[in-house]
Structures are given as structure tokens and as C-alpha cells.
Amino acid sequence: MPGKKKDLIDLSSTLPDIWRMLTDGERDQLRGNARIIHFKKNELIYLEDETPRDLMCLFKGKVKIFKSGVGGRSQIIRIIRPVQYFGYRAYFAREPYVTAASAFESCTVCMIPMELIEQFLRNNGDLALFFIQMLSVDLGIADQRVVNLTQKHVRGRLAESLIFLKESYGLEEDGATINIYLAREDLANLSNMTTSNAIRTLSNFVNERVITIDGRKIKIIDEDRLRKISRIG
Amino acid sequence: MPGKKKDLIDLSSTLPDIWRMLTDGERDQLRGNARIIHFKKNELIYLEDETPRDLMCLFKGKVKIFKSGVGGRSQIIRIIRPVQYFGYRAYFAREPYVTAASAFESCTVCMIPMELIEQFLRNNGDLALFFIQMLSVDLGIADQRVVNLTQKHVRGRLAESLIFLKESYGLEEDGATINIYLAREDLANLSNMTTSNAIRTLSNFVNERVITIDGRKIKIIDEDRLRKISRIG
DNA sequence: ATATATTTGTGTTTTAGAACATAGTTCTAT
DNA sequence: ATAGAACTATGTTCTAAAACACAAATATAT
């Protein structure tokens, strides 16, 4: 496991959801066991087939959860933004990781041993329901994603990804540029298409004046139209 | 909501997982609130956009969970066998159903109000972890499914579905015939392909002596080869 | 700073699988 | 028992997207 530096961070403000549900004793235990780890851009956070040990909470940065499929072709399964939890599903399922995680950009992650979390939630209905709700929401998204990725055409899938990125990471100060710096290849892996198709379709969107591109910076010009392209597939 | 007849059933033997984790008082409450409902072949159990109210446990029969996508094209998301729970995800996510469920064949379903289940698991760590684990396993399957459905070719997807059906519902007495009676259209909706392609590919498998077909009855002749087709995609 | 690798962009070719057409077959309902 | 509907089968055509090929532009390492 890479990453090194240890910081002093106020967990009560950075782990808002979980912190709120704990007793004072549990909070002490948490403080004693949580570790803050930094990851550099493109550094791997965990790998497929590894044994899950920690609940991870992304404090800063952007993370992709991905999976390698037929012939090693990579598919981005979901992306994480601050402050979201990840890395816990496989532990709860009593399985090794079936996905891998890596840092899109420099990241700060809080790691909490899953044994501790499991122990907490066994006696804390609110915390249990917090995880049940997160898993339930993610499962609904995954079900929707199966349909979108298999039934929509390239244009629809790319449009959907752009909207998804905008809603996940927001816009820069200009109110139009999507606040993430992604290679065409990542955009393709997110949208289940080849890199060529991502590039080509992006160019088409530019010609249609739906977006503009400046290197990797993508500016949304006509969001309504983009949403329409996504909707009709 | 259709279905009508009420039966006397021994819940302790039909709800083994949950029953085991409850106190005597909770068991009484469960007995007082559980309803047994029958569904005829092809009858709808719940619909997309409805409000989820009950945890459902399939006692007898086969159920498909499906979703309609672009242009109303249907995709089977998962299938349920006895004794499995379903219908609870949307309630926990505080959403309306994003899928629909219908009976592949005549079914017996036990319905338990979700409020009761939520109340139980707030004070019962084992029960909470039971749901957390089910959701976690299903989410892992969904993640895997995204990759399989998008990256494998028609042959690989159909081979995978046949193996999946065999593992879900088992074989008949001859030790080869898959124990489910499915229309080609359902097989197609399960494997993300058109009905024509399911028919054609099934014929190819017959010519290659991997399976034999007799109407809707599918017999697996060469499981190793079928698995290989599924694996290489 | 310069070389090397990686990413981006575009044109061309190939192909898997959808769409369509039509006919035979099997259910299902009255 | 029979008519109509739904399902199965197969051939043909069409098209979206993958695969391939190469050039230009950026990024990265020495």
C-alpha cells in the first residue's frame, strides 16, 4: 500500500455523517484508529483481488473505481468526490475487491479499519442504516447504469458522462468549464467506448456547438441540448 | 396490487435467515404482519415508479426483476429463486422502485412491511449486517454485470446467461436440462440482445453441439465449452 | 533543451449486431 | 376444437461502432 504522510485533521468536521452517529467512546476509538493517507496523481489506492481492510473516506481530490474486463479493457464503474465513502462493499460482502481504485489527481484519504466500523454498526442502528442506504442508492445507480451503457448509443453515453461529471465535480469559476482534467481515454472508459470514438464524438459536439474544448478542459455551451442527446440515447 | 389467497405457513422454516435473528417478541410481530400472496404466471408483482412498502421473500416460483430502457426496451436486471429476498432496495434508498418485478411462473411470495423490518434492524446488528451483506453482494454482481454486458460479444453474453440460469435454477432429473421455461425474448432481455440474435446464437450453439433445444427446454451438452465461450467473451 | 513517449485527431476499412421481412410453429382463449 | 395471437426460425440488408493506420500535438523524462 503506497501513500505516507500523516496529518492532524479534525475528524468531527471531515467525517460529518459518521461522526454525528457515534458515542463519545466510539469517537475516541475512531480517532485512535483512523489514518490519513495521501496519494499522488494516478497512484493506485487499492487493487482488484486484494483483501479489503479499510473504510475509505475521500477528503480531497478525485478517485476512480474501475474494473478490467474482457481482454483487460478497463471500465470506470464509479467516481468518488469529497466527502464520499468507498472501499467498504467488498469487506461487507466478504469478498476480495472486484474493482480497483486510483487517484485522478492528488488525494487525501482517511482510512478506518472495517472491523471497527462493523463493530460500531452492530450496536448502532443509525450507522447501520447509513450504510444500508448508501449501498441501496449505489445499487440503484448500478442498475440504471447497466441499461444506459448497454442501450444508449455512443453520443448518448458520452453526453451522459459529461453531465455526470459536471454534477459530480461541478464547474469552474466561469460557470461552464467542467471541473475535472480527464484524458480522452478515461472519458472513453467511463462511457464504454473506444478512445477514438470519444475523441470523434467530442469533436462532433464541438461542431454542433454543444461544448467547446481546450485541450482537456471541456466547457458546456448548451446543457439543454446535451441533456437531450443523453435522454434520447 | 394483485394476488389474493392467504395461507397458513410456518414462517420459522420458510424465512430461515431472518427468523433465526429475531427475538420471540419480534417473531410474534412478524407473524402478525406477514402476508402470503400468490401470483400467476406473468403476473406483475410491482411496477417501476411505485412506492416500495414490503420486503418480499420468494417461497415458490421464479421472479424476474427488470427495467425498461431506451425506447421501452426491457432489460432483465436479476432473477430471484426460492428462498431469496427482494423489493427492499428502493425502500432503503428512499426512492420509488426503479425496476419492476414479474412472475416467470406461478409464485408464492411472503410480504413483510418494510417499516417493521427497519424497526427490527435498528436494534439488531445481525439483521442489519444480513441486509448490508445482501446489498454488498448484489452491488458486486451489478458491477461485474456492467462489464460483462458491455464488453462481451453476443455469444459470450448468451453463454453466460445459460450458465447463470443453470446455477440459479438448477437442472432437471436428467442432469442436463436447465430447470426454467423461458421465451427467447426473455433470454434476449437477460443477455442484452435482440430476440433474433438469441434465436440465431442458440441455433449456432446447437450446431456446435454445445446444447440441444426442444422448444423452450435447453439441455447443456458441453458445459466446459459453454464456460469457455462465456469466458473469452 | 531536446529526445522520447504519450495523447490527440482524422481518415479508411471492417464487422458485429440491429433492423427488417416473411414464414412456420406453438400457445391460449373462447 | 379452432381461430387468432404470440413465439420461433432464418435469410437479407443496413449501420453504428470497432479496428486500424498514420500524422500532429503535448507531455515527460533525461
Side-chain angles (χ1 to χ4, degrees), chain A residues 79-218:
Chain A
I79 59 176
I80 310 293
R81 63 170 179 277
V83 180
Q84 283 187 328
Y85 297 93
F86 66 103
Y88 56 90
R89 187 211 63 82
Y91 177 90
F92 282 134
R94 273 66 172 133
E95 298 168 353
Y97 282 122
V98 299
T99 55
S102 97
F104 269 137
E105 55 183 54
S106 163
C107 285
T108 309
V109 177
C110 177
M111 306 265 195
I112 304 161
M114 278 302 299
E115 284 83 3
L116 194 64
I117 295 294
E118 181 170 344
Q119 176 196 317
F120 287 174
L121 69 80
R122 272 183 184 281
N123 302 301
N124 186 331
D126 283 338
L127 191 60
L129 272 162
F130 175 75
F131 279 98
I132 287 175
Q133 184 168 5
M134 274 201 298
L135 285 163
S136 294
V137 167
D138 280 351
L139 184 54
I141 292 170
D143 287 348
Q144 181 66 55
R145 198 161 159 73
V146 167
V147 173
N148 287 345
L149 284 182
T150 58
Q151 298 192 356
K152 284 185 184 175
H153 286 183
V154 162
R155 286 169 59 85
R157 300 204 301 272
L158 186 64
E160 190 189 12
S161 291
L162 294 177
I163 290 166
F164 170 67
L165 287 170
K166 182 217 143 187
E167 303 204 323
S168 298
Y169 295 128
L171 300 172
E172 294 181 359
E173 305 71 45
D174 65 359
T177 306
I178 301 173
N179 189 23
I180 189 172
Y181 191 75
L182 272 193
R184 301 288 189 268
E185 190 183 357
D186 276 321
L187 208 49
N189 291 344
L190 187 62
S191 317
N192 178 39
M193 62 186 66
T194 55
T195 305
S196 320
N197 260 324
I199 291 168
R200 206 182 302 270
T201 308
L202 228 38
S203 299
N204 291 342
F205 285 172
V206 171
N207 291 335
E208 296 164 29
R209 313 204 181 290
V210 178
I211 61 171
T212 60
I213 53 185
D214 173 17
R216 293 187 176 180
K217 285 293 175 188
I218 299 172

Side-chain angles (χ1 to χ4, degrees), chain B residues 152-154 157 181 192-194 196-197 200:
Chain B
K152 285 185 184 175
H153 287 182
V154 164
R157 300 204 301 275
Y181 191 73
N192 179 38
M193 62 186 67
T194 55
S196 316
N197 260 324
R200 207 182 304 268

Side-chain angles (χ1 to χ4, degrees), chain B residues 174-213:
Chain B
D174 65 359
T177 305
I178 300 172
N179 189 25
I180 189 173
Y181 191 73
L182 271 193
R184 300 288 189 271
E185 189 183 358
D186 277 320
L187 208 48
N189 291 343
L190 186 62
S191 317
N192 179 38
M193 62 186 67
T194 55
T195 305
S196 316
N197 260 324
I199 291 169
R200 207 182 304 268
T201 308
L202 229 37
S203 298
N204 291 342
F205 286 173
V206 171
N207 291 335
E208 297 165 27
R209 313 208 179 288
V210 178
I211 61 169
T212 60
I213 52 183

Side-chain angles (χ1 to χ4, degrees), chain B residues 1 6 26 30 46 61 65 67 81 94 109 112 117 129 131 137 149 152 167 175 178 186 206-207 229:
Chain B
M1 181 78 67
K6 252 200 160 175
E26 289 169 339
L30 189 61
Y46 64 78
I65 308 292
K67 199 167 162 43
R81 62 171 181 276
R94 273 66 170 134
V109 178
I112 303 161
I117 294 295
L129 272 162
F131 279 97
V137 168
L149 284 182
K152 285 185 184 175
E167 302 203 323
I178 300 172
D186 277 320
V206 171
N207 291 335
I229 295 170

Side-chain angles (χ1 to χ4, degrees), chain B:
Chain B
M1 181 78 67
K4 48 248 56 142
K5 214 169 110 212
K6 252 200 160 175
D7 280 348
L8 250 164
I9 289 207
D10 174 19
L11 293 179
S12 68
S13 64
T14 43
L15 289 178
D17 324 283
I18 290 189
W19 196 261
R20 184 171 42 78
M21 303 179 198
L22 299 181
T23 64
D24 284 345
E26 289 169 339
R27 287 175 181 172
D28 283 343
Q29 270 194 282
L30 189 61
R31 250 190 296 263
N33 286 282
R35 289 160 298 136
I36 305 289
I37 302 189
H38 290 277
F39 294 93
K40 292 190 287 241
K41 185 175 167 154
N42 294 322
E43 203 175 352
L44 286 159
I45 298 174
Y46 64 78
L47 287 173
E48 223 162 318
D49 299 322
E50 278 182 5
T51 303
R53 302 188 192 289
D54 293 293
L55 169 66
M56 301 178 196
C57 179
L58 183 63
F59 284 170
K60 201 175 70 58
K62 301 181 175 79
V63 166
K64 67 171 167 184
I65 308 292
F66 62 103
K67 199 167 162 43
S68 89
V70 178
R73 208 174 120 203
S74 162
Q75 170 74 48
I76 297 180
I77 299 290
R78 61 189 137 258
I79 59 177
I80 310 293
R81 62 171 181 276
V83 178
Q84 283 187 329
Y85 297 92
F86 65 103
Y88 56 90
R89 186 209 66 82
Y91 177 89
F92 282 134
R94 273 66 170 134
E95 298 168 353
Y97 282 122
V98 299
T99 56
S102 96
F104 269 138
E105 55 183 53
S106 165
C107 285
T108 308
V109 178
C110 178
M111 307 265 196
I112 303 161
M114 279 301 297
E115 283 84 2
L116 194 63
I117 294 295
E118 181 169 345
Q119 176 196 317
F120 287 174
L121 68 80
R122 272 184 185 281
N123 302 301
N124 186 330
D126 284 337
L127 191 59
L129 272 162
F130 175 73
F131 279 97
I132 287 175
Q133 185 169 2
M134 275 201 297
L135 285 162
S136 295
V137 168
D138 280 351
L139 184 55
I141 293 171
D143 287 348
Q144 181 64 55
R145 198 161 160 70
V146 166
V147 173
N148 286 343
L149 284 182
T150 56
Q151 297 192 357
K152 285 185 184 175
H153 287 182
V154 164
R155 286 170 59 85
R157 300 204 301 275
L158 186 64
E160 189 189 13
S161 292
L162 294 178
I163 291 165
F164 169 66
L165 287 171
K166 182 219 143 184
E167 302 203 323
S168 299
Y169 294 130
L171 300 172
E172 294 182 359
E173 305 72 44
D174 65 359
T177 305
I178 300 172
N179 189 25
I180 189 173
Y181 191 73
L182 271 193
R184 300 288 189 271
E185 189 183 358
D186 277 320
L187 208 48
N189 291 343
L190 186 62
S191 317
N192 179 38
M193 62 186 67
T194 55
T195 305
S196 316
N197 260 324
I199 291 169
R200 207 182 304 268
T201 308
L202 229 37
S203 298
N204 291 342
F205 286 173
V206 171
N207 291 335
E208 297 165 27
R209 313 208 179 288
V210 178
I211 61 169
T212 60
I213 52 183
D214 173 17
R216 292 187 178 181
K217 284 294 174 187
I218 299 173
K219 199 179 284 197
I220 299 180
I221 301 299
D222 188 346
E223 183 168 336
D224 285 348
R225 185 142 165 59
L226 200 58
R227 282 184 188 279
K228 193 173 166 210
I229 295 170
S230 167
R231 193 151 12 87
I232 64 178

